[in-house]
Amino acid sequence: MDKTELDPITSPMGDMGLSQILLCLAIFLSKFPSGWIQVSHIFLCFPMNPKCTSPSNVTDICDDACEKYEFDRSIFEENVISEFDLVCKRAPLASLSQTITMGGTMTGSILFGVLADKYGRRPAFLTGCMLLMIFSALVSFSPWFWAYCLFRYIAATANGGVMMTSFVIIMEIIGKSKREIVAMLYHIPFNMGHVALPALAYFFRNWRVFNMSYSVEHFLYVIYCCIVPESPRWLFARGETEKSANIISKFAKMNGKPTDTIKSDLDSAYVHHKGTQGAKKANILDLFKTPNMRMKILAMGFEWFVVCMAYYGISQYVTHLSGDVFLNVAFSASLGVPGTLLCIPLTKYLGRKPTLILSTLLTAISLLLMSLLPKLSDKIQVIFVIIGFFGATVTFPTVYIYGGELCPTVVRSSGIGFCSMLGRAGSMLAPFVVDLAKIHMRLPGIVFGCMSLLATLTCVLIPETKNTNLPETLEDGENFGKKGAVQ
């Protein structure tokens, strides 16, 4: 095979050797607590069911005749609703706080995507880690509700940056034969963290202690200053072949590969790909300047929007189901592990596109059946909701690897950041869609189901990326997926 047809980054060190395994395992740790910032709202703002305790017969605490009321503290001693008195006219602030948090994740995804493409994956990743360490802990010391929202917003911004940049770092050091496996396994720590969260909430019934219980793990992120290198693919795309070759040589040496010709081969590959001009001029706007790339990024962004809306929306919707809230959340969260593991054989043997179509269609059909079929028992409705959530757990890791493979290296972080931004916009709307249950219990299912069905149809616009080399330049990105183009 001609050397120009080989991946210049992974060919010298192998698709997946010891060096990549160790780095991936270390970075996977950053994913374990990432979901806690976003999902903890379920417990931080769990309904406290206040009751009027005035001597009169008034039961509505919002009635002017109700002079005093008390919160039900049988489940939680104190949470954000009781601490900051989010009742009556202030009740919508609880959902607003989650929207603000998801807005922070959206901000972080796009902001850190741009920073990672301009200044490097490593500095963007480490900056996010340090900010997350500080502001996640500060949430526990919030003196006012709006301070709580501000600290949560900054922590979520950092968290969005950490998730996005860590995924890009992994994607850019793994060969195409192992990309789907590693990209899927990357989400397992997130799923495990989601499962562990209700256990923390069960043992720590005060919201300040509960928040601190999962914030302390972020202080482990200091180890990344010593072990996470810059992405050699990003350096290569910018023309810094010497720095890229040094990092690749370290990886190759640990993997038992020869290093003698790495520098010369990288120089030749760089000339072939003509990465210098594209790297210097490329920015997020370049994703939309050419028709094929614009269509792909918008279609993929919509997939992210829908899956995030469905995933986080259904996660909150399960708290409306009967039963123990800790068990309900733990059970629904546990579906993420088999859903993610199922992605490995599906994306490997069926491909990214069929997997995305099947999983989003499963969510759409199950939620629409639950919402539209008359006279369903409560148990059957719960089963349909669980099936819909399972479909979302398959879709979620699929769009990560699919989106990363669609975008060229010079704007990969920006591209994933853009998709993630749209995804977080969907998750920002999720609490308000769930609130439609106050009008009718089945309305959230209709919204989530219809959006998932539309996302299924949108998949037609996205080309398959299975077993293809990652596009490096803007020209590669525009040509990718076109009929007759070499993949």
Side-chain angles (χ1 to χ4, degrees):
M1 181 183 293
D2 193 313
K3 286 187 177 183
T4 60
E5 298 179 11
L6 298 174
D7 187 316
I9 306 302
T10 58
S11 294
M13 56 186 179
D15 280 5
M16 187 66 175
L18 178 61
S19 58
Q20 291 117 307
I21 292 174
L22 292 176
L23 182 58
C24 286
L25 288 176
I27 291 181
F28 281 3
L29 292 176
S30 70
K31 191 70 173 176
F32 186 82
S34 62
W36 294 348
I37 298 290
Q38 302 167 79
V39 185
S40 57
H41 171 80
I42 295 173
F43 302 110
L44 291 170
C45 292
F46 185 79
M48 295 288 279
N49 299 322
K51 294 182 178 181
C52 185
T53 57
S54 298
S56 62
N57 294 325
V58 176
T59 57
D60 184 0
I61 66 168
C62 300
D63 193 302
D64 292 338
C66 181
E67 299 176 353
K68 186 179 180 182
Y69 54 85
E70 291 183 355
F71 292 96
D72 179 4
R73 302 180 188 275
S74 60
I75 298 179
F76 294 101
E77 298 172 3
E78 193 86 75
N79 73 1
V80 173
I81 290 178
S82 59
E83 176 89 15
F84 301 117
D85 205 28
L86 304 184
V87 297
C88 298
K89 293 182 179 180
R90 288 171 56 83
L93 294 179
S95 292
L96 179 62
S97 69
Q98 176 67 354
T99 297
I100 291 173
T101 299
M102 288 302 186
T105 307
M106 178 178 70
T107 302
S109 299
I110 191 67
L111 174 63
F112 280 83
V114 173
L115 293 176
D117 281 337
K118 186 172 184 179
Y119 300 107
R121 295 10 177 172
R122 173 182 158 85
F125 174 68
L126 295 181
T127 299
C129 288
M130 298 304 108
L131 289 174
L132 185 55
M133 282 171 46
I134 296 169
F135 285 94
S136 180
L138 282 179
V139 171
S140 292
F141 301 97
S142 304
W144 317 288
F145 172 74
W146 293 113
Y148 164 83
C149 290
L150 176 62
F151 294 151
R152 288 262 293 170
Y153 174 82
I154 298 175
T157 299
N159 190 47
V162 170
M163 289 192 295
M164 189 279 304
T165 52
S166 62
F167 181 73
V168 171
I169 290 172
I170 289 175
M171 283 286 291
E172 294 187 341
I173 63 167
I174 303 300
K176 64 182 179 182
S177 68
K178 306 297 181 183
R179 280 204 307 259
E180 61 267 82
I181 296 177
V182 175
M184 300 308 160
L185 293 178
Y186 170 81
H187 294 275
I188 295 295
F190 176 95
N191 302 137
M192 295 174 65
H194 192 175
V195 175
L197 191 63
L200 294 176
Y202 179 83
F203 287 108
F204 303 107
R205 303 298 182 97
N206 183 291
W207 76 272
R208 295 183 186 274
V209 181
F210 167 61
N211 179 82
M212 186 58 72
S213 70
Y214 62 76
S215 296
V216 293
E217 182 167 327
H218 296 137
F219 286 90
L220 294 175
Y221 287 180
V222 295
I223 65 174
Y224 293 131
C225 296
C226 304
I227 63 177
V228 175
E230 182 55 85
S231 165
R233 192 178 296 277
W234 179 80
L235 292 169
F236 168 79
R238 290 177 60 87
E240 300 183 44
T241 56
E242 184 171 352
K243 292 181 180 179
S244 180
N246 289 337
I247 295 173
I248 294 173
S249 296
K250 292 179 181 178
F251 277 82
K253 192 173 297 184
M254 185 177 293
N255 293 345
K257 302 287 186 178
T259 61
D260 296 343
T261 63
I262 287 179
K263 179 62 169 63
S264 58
D265 289 344
L266 208 61
D267 287 335
S268 299
Y270 176 70
V271 171
H272 174 73
H273 286 288
K274 299 179 181 179
T276 305
Q277 296 301 316
K280 287 182 177 178
K281 295 180 179 179
N283 58 61
I284 190 171
L285 297 178
D286 289 304
L287 290 167
F288 307 95
K289 289 181 177 179
T290 52
N292 188 40
M293 191 181 298
R294 179 170 59 247
M295 178 190 68
K296 292 184 296 183
I297 195 67
L298 289 175
M300 180 56 66
F302 182 71
E303 300 294 334
W304 280 63
F305 176 85
V306 172
V307 70
C308 286
M309 175 188 285
Y311 184 93
Y312 291 107
I314 299 173
S315 296
Q316 296 173 49
Y317 188 63
V318 297
T319 62
H320 290 263
L321 305 177
S322 59
D324 185 280
V325 62
F326 303 106
L327 293 179
N328 284 347
V329 175
F331 180 71
S332 61
S334 66
L335 295 175
V337 175
T340 300
L341 291 176
L342 183 61
C343 278
I344 298 176
L346 287 179
T347 55
K348 184 175 181 64
Y349 297 107
L350 291 183
R352 284 60 159 152
K353 188 171 183 174
T355 301
L356 189 57
I357 291 174
L358 290 173
S359 59
T360 52
L361 186 61
L362 178 63
T363 298
I365 292 175
S366 60
L367 292 180
L368 288 175
L369 288 176
M370 182 275 294
S371 304
L372 301 178
L373 289 180
K375 299 180 180 179
L376 289 178
S377 67
D378 291 343
K379 183 178 293 186
I380 298 300
Q381 289 185 47
V382 170
I383 290 175
F384 276 130
V385 170
I386 290 174
I387 293 174
F389 185 75
F390 180 75
T393 66
V394 177
T395 303
F396 209 97
T398 303
V399 294
Y400 259 87
I401 184 173
Y402 209 171
E405 291 176 337
L406 279 177
C407 299
T409 298
V410 291
V411 286
R412 181 164 296 117
S413 289
S414 296
I416 295 178
F418 172 77
C419 290
S420 185
M421 179 190 71
L422 293 183
R424 303 317 161 188
S427 60
M428 289 170 66
L429 292 176
F432 297 102
V433 176
V434 174
D435 283 346
L436 293 176
K438 297 175 182 177
I439 302 174
H440 194 289
M441 278 297 295
R442 298 193 181 190
L443 278 179
I446 293 175
V447 175
F448 294 139
C450 289
M451 293 298 291
S452 297
L453 184 60
L454 186 56
T456 303
L457 299 175
T458 307
C459 292
V460 177
L461 302 175
I462 309 173
E464 178 61 72
T465 60
K466 175 187 172 185
N467 291 331
T468 61
N469 287 326
L470 293 178
E472 302 290 348
T473 65
L474 293 174
E475 183 180 1
D476 293 339
E478 172 61 16
N479 291 333
F480 188 85
K482 285 184 176 180
K483 291 183 179 180
V486 178
Q487 306 301 325

